[in-house]
Amino acid sequence: MEKFEELREKYPVFVYKAYYVNETHDSVEIGYEFSIPGLAEFRPSWSFRKPEGFSIDGDLNFQRLAFSLGMAEAVSYWKAVCSPEFQVLCGELDEEQIAWWKKLWYMGLGELFFVNGISTDLDTFVKIVPTGHYDSSFRETFRSPEGCLVPIGGGKDSALTLELLLRAGKKCLCYSINKRRSITDTVTTAGLPEETLIISHRHFDRALIALNDKGFINGHTPFSAIVAFSAEITAYLNSLKYIVLSNESSANESTVAGQDVNHQYSKSFEFEKDFHEYEEKYLRTGQYYFSFLRPLTEFQIAKMFVSFRKYLPVFRSCNLGSKVSPDIWCGECPKCLFVCLILSPFLSLGELKKIFGRDMLNDDKMMEYFIELIGQSEHKPFECVGSIDEVNLAVSLSIRRLEEEGAELPSLFEEYKKRELYHPEHISALNAECCGSFNEQNLLPVEFKTILTKEMERLL
């Protein structure tokens, strides 16, 4: 908390100076200029592919999109000093928009505040001061987009979304930020040519890394908001109507019990609904942003996913492993353990070991993460993991199956029984309840809801 107050006093202002749009025949480059006066200048940039013949010259809609992506990007740089004043010299913001951005930043930085021992509140953590205006020559453009853009992360969720939409006959293009092997493998495994994957290139300013190395404030930021705005731009450039995310209802659960600290806030339904309304009121592209898997839990998704075994060798969900080329399962982090646990009722121990390259369920170094995942700690791991209840259900189902087979239990499952958490008399009822659940807090259009419910009936 002392560092937070010292840095705010020393660097009282952060400035979003400008954004620049440069269009070529097949791409759009967007550059940003941020500043912490007296400390650092930042110039991150993005590159987007676009069809030849499509132009954004004089297009006010695109200017709003480019500016908004900068607002989502800026928080990663602002958080180094958490300046109490955020000056915006470009774009336009009204009071309602200011409140919207403050909420996103405050909730999306909840983990950063918690981990760094920072106590603040929504009203006072930052004052956004806008003074910019769009060029009066820009004009709104009205388009009639159609088709689906499916962001692909390389994991089981987006693979399941893509598979179900393609089976229903939907025409889909895929989207990713930068390129990873698991992403391209997911697309080709789905039966699509690699060119259906539209890749945007995000160029981070390494001056921020230098500040991190010097001990300035660092931590988790709402990255999925960047995915949302960059996907909006990609859909706009390619005249696509639906931006089909793969976030599930489990993302709504707080990471720290009893507090508004959610590692996955920008994957939550609250953010999805806020973003959907912001797009409709302020971006006005005619596009529709929603999560196809929102009615489901991670447990349901895992059960449906394993029905499509072709993805088992190619999917990856490890954040640490994604930094290696080609991306891997590190087998040492809570995310790897969670995916292993949630799949364990549906795959053999040998199949799990083949996927992850090691026997995590017999690795005592994973015990601390295991205890967090089953709710026996003050908080869940600060990772994109499922709810405590569904992890407990998955573990219980796995134990029941292994005992019925007369197999030896892995050490993590033995610990589960030692803690007297295994209650076989409740498993069948809990399993039926979970498999039959459908969270009505969602934004699925009717045609997509029909696709999902039919597949649930078939696969659950």
Side-chain angles (χ1 to χ4, degrees):
M1 188 68 186
E2 184 178 341
K3 180 195 291 187
F4 173 73
E5 292 172 344
E6 287 177 356
L7 289 173
R8 284 167 70 85
E9 184 175 349
K10 188 172 184 179
Y11 305 105
V13 175
F14 183 99
V15 186
Y16 179 176
K17 288 185 173 181
Y19 67 94
Y20 308 96
V21 177
N22 180 43
E23 182 178 14
T24 71
H25 72 284
D26 63 354
S27 70
V28 175
E29 315 287 331
I30 308 176
Y32 296 99
E33 195 173 334
F34 308 138
S35 172
I36 303 174
L39 180 64
E41 301 281 333
F42 308 104
R43 290 178 174 81
S45 63
W46 286 74
S47 177
F48 295 90
R49 186 179 103 195
K50 76 174 181 68
E52 291 189 34
F54 186 99
S55 178
I56 46 94
D57 185 40
D59 187 334
L60 179 57
N61 303 67
F62 190 84
Q63 296 294 321
R64 292 173 181 146
L65 289 167
F67 165 70
S68 298
L69 178 58
M71 290 291 292
E73 185 78 79
V75 69
S76 296
Y77 299 87
W78 171 87
K79 61 107 167 68
V81 295
C82 295
S83 302
E85 183 170 307
F86 183 96
Q87 295 180 2
V88 187
L89 310 186
C90 55
E92 290 181 3
L93 295 171
D94 64 20
E95 289 301 318
E96 188 175 331
Q97 287 173 288
I98 289 171
W100 191 93
W101 284 104
K102 285 187 65 172
K103 178 185 178 183
L104 168 60
W105 292 355
Y106 181 73
M107 298 298 290
L109 293 172
E111 177 185 325
L112 179 144
F113 293 147
F114 179 82
V115 170
N116 286 279
I118 294 169
S119 177
T120 187
D121 60 76
L122 177 60
D123 290 334
T124 62
F125 84 103
V126 71
K127 180 182 180 181
I128 298 177
V129 182
T131 57
H133 296 283
Y134 293 115
D135 189 316
S136 60
S137 67
F138 295 143
R139 293 290 179 265
E140 270 199 354
T141 304
F142 299 95
R143 306 181 187 274
S144 299
E146 56 184 24
C148 300
L149 182 70
V150 183
I152 303 294
K156 66 185 186 330
D157 298 6
S158 55
L160 180 62
T161 291
L162 182 60
E163 181 70 24
L164 298 187
L165 293 182
L166 291 175
R167 283 174 169 261
K170 290 290 182 184
K171 292 184 178 180
C172 300
L173 292 179
C174 302
Y175 171 66
S176 74
I177 300 174
N178 300 332
K179 188 176 183 178
R180 294 206 319 272
R181 179 173 169 179
S182 61
I183 293 172
T184 55
D185 284 353
T186 296
V187 172
T188 56
T189 301
L192 295 175
E194 191 171 329
E195 56 265 26
T196 59
L197 174 62
I198 304 172
I199 301 170
S200 69
H201 297 279
R202 182 191 186 204
H203 308 284
F204 207 69
D205 193 317
R206 297 194 65 80
L208 180 61
I209 307 300
L211 294 184
N212 294 341
D213 292 342
K214 291 176 181 177
F216 285 78
I217 298 171
N218 192 19
H220 182 71
T221 57
F223 177 73
S224 291
I226 288 177
V227 174
F229 281 103
S230 64
E232 278 279 325
I233 290 175
T234 299
Y236 191 76
L237 293 174
N238 291 274
S239 301
L240 297 167
K241 180 175 179 62
Y242 296 107
I243 301 167
V244 191
L245 278 293
S246 303
N247 302 321
E248 76 298 322
S249 63
S250 308
N252 299 330
E253 183 177 82
S254 177
T255 306
V256 181
Q259 296 191 39
D260 271 338
V261 179
N262 184 357
H263 174 86
Q264 302 187 83
Y265 172 73
S266 56
K267 289 185 176 182
S268 70
F269 179 69
E270 183 176 0
F271 172 74
E272 179 182 333
K273 185 171 179 290
D274 286 351
F275 184 87
H276 182 85
E277 292 171 353
Y278 191 90
E279 201 288 330
E280 195 171 54
K281 184 170 183 178
Y282 291 106
L283 303 179
R284 299 199 286 274
T285 63
Q287 295 162 192
Y288 192 98
Y289 173 95
F290 74 101
S291 179
F292 181 65
L293 302 182
R294 182 66 69 192
L296 305 182
T297 64
E298 283 274 17
F299 181 86
Q300 291 169 297
I301 292 168
K303 187 172 183 179
M304 295 172 74
F305 172 73
V306 296
S307 299
F308 306 108
R309 303 180 77 84
K310 63 184 179 180
Y311 293 104
L312 294 181
V314 302
F315 87 108
R316 301 287 186 274
S317 297
C318 174
N319 291 326
L320 292 174
S322 70
K323 296 175 174 61
V324 179
S325 182
D327 45 344
I328 61 171
W329 296 102
C330 78
E332 298 177 349
C333 71
K335 183 63 179 289
C336 284
L337 179 60
F338 165 73
V339 178
C340 182
L341 291 171
I342 208 70
L343 293 177
S344 65
F346 318 115
L347 298 172
S348 69
L349 295 180
E351 287 173 315
L352 292 172
K353 187 175 179 180
K354 184 176 180 181
I355 290 170
F356 297 101
R358 64 185 68 197
D359 186 1
M360 282 187 287
L361 300 182
N362 272 310
D363 186 349
D364 289 340
K365 294 194 296 293
M366 305 300 285
M367 188 64 72
E368 182 179 349
Y369 296 145
F370 181 68
I371 290 169
E372 291 176 350
L373 286 165
I374 61 175
Q376 297 293 295
S377 181
E378 291 184 1
H379 57 78
K380 297 195 303 183
F382 289 107
E383 270 283 7
C384 296
V385 297
S387 70
I388 291 168
D389 286 346
E390 59 191 331
V391 173
N392 279 286
L393 173 59
V395 171
S396 296
L397 282 168
S398 299
I399 291 174
R400 184 174 72 175
R401 189 191 72 202
L402 290 169
E403 290 188 336
E404 288 173 350
E405 295 171 351
E408 182 179 353
L409 293 181
S411 60
L412 296 188
F413 291 174
E414 288 285 7
E415 177 66 23
Y416 192 82
K417 292 193 72 174
K418 285 179 185 177
R419 289 173 176 260
E420 300 182 348
L421 298 172
Y422 180 60
H423 302 289
E425 67 276 13
H426 301 310
I427 294 175
S428 293
L430 291 172
N431 184 36
E433 180 183 354
C434 185
C435 287
S437 68
F438 190 92
N439 193 321
E440 294 295 344
Q441 282 195 320
N442 64 77
L443 297 176
L444 272 72
V446 173
E447 59 183 304
F448 290 90
K449 189 173 290 189
T450 299
I451 295 169
L452 183 60
T453 52
K454 283 183 179 178
E455 291 293 343
M456 289 176 67
E457 291 169 5
R458 188 172 71 88
L459 300 174
L460 293 174

